[in-house]
Amino acid sequence: MTDTAAARSRLEAQLAELERRREHIARDLDEPLNPDSSERAVEMEDDAALEGQGALVEREIASVKRALARIKDGEYGLCVRCGGDINPARLEARPEAALCITCASKDG
């Protein structure tokens, strides 16, 4: 049986950290570009990398929020694809996991 209170606590902490990262990325992207053309080119490359990181953070936030919703709905620890149990060790390593290892390995 999965300890949903502990999972909720870990997920909420993870969500708070991800939201801090998202805010930091947004602040960095809001900084004006350097008027020097060579510096501007470097900053534009940095911004492109930050935008990629921001997209990853957004996906992680969505995944964590879905996991919190599964806890609320009493479906946490059940694979969203096959309905089977997700191994507690997998949930310990990735509390936001929505798929059992069998279904997750089919995606890879």
Side-chain angles (χ1 to χ4, degrees):
M1 182 78 188
T2 302
D3 181 356
T4 55
R8 181 184 300 111
S9 178
R10 288 182 62 208
L11 287 163
E12 288 171 346
Q14 186 178 352
L15 181 60
E17 175 58 28
L18 288 166
E19 288 174 341
R20 280 191 293 277
R21 285 175 45 196
R22 176 176 59 188
E23 290 171 17
H24 182 74
I25 290 169
R27 272 195 310 273
D28 286 351
L29 287 170
D30 283 343
E31 290 181 9
L33 294 175
N34 192 313
D36 179 273
S37 63
S38 61
E39 285 295 318
R40 183 188 324 246
V42 170
E43 288 176 356
M44 288 174 70
E45 286 179 23
D46 290 347
D47 283 356
L50 280 174
E51 288 169 355
Q53 289 175 19
L56 288 173
V57 168
E58 288 296 335
R59 284 196 295 275
E60 289 179 49
I61 287 171
S63 181
V64 169
K65 286 182 176 181
R66 287 190 301 268
L68 287 167
R70 287 192 302 278
I71 289 173
K72 182 180 175 193
D73 296 340
E75 298 172 359
Y76 185 75
L78 299 177
C79 178
V80 298
R81 184 171 294 156
C82 73
D85 289 335
I86 299 174
N87 187 309
R90 178 167 168 73
L91 291 172
E92 181 66 29
R94 294 198 57 220
E96 72 282 6
L99 300 173
C100 67
I101 197 69
T102 302
C103 289
S105 55
K106 289 177 186 174
D107 286 346

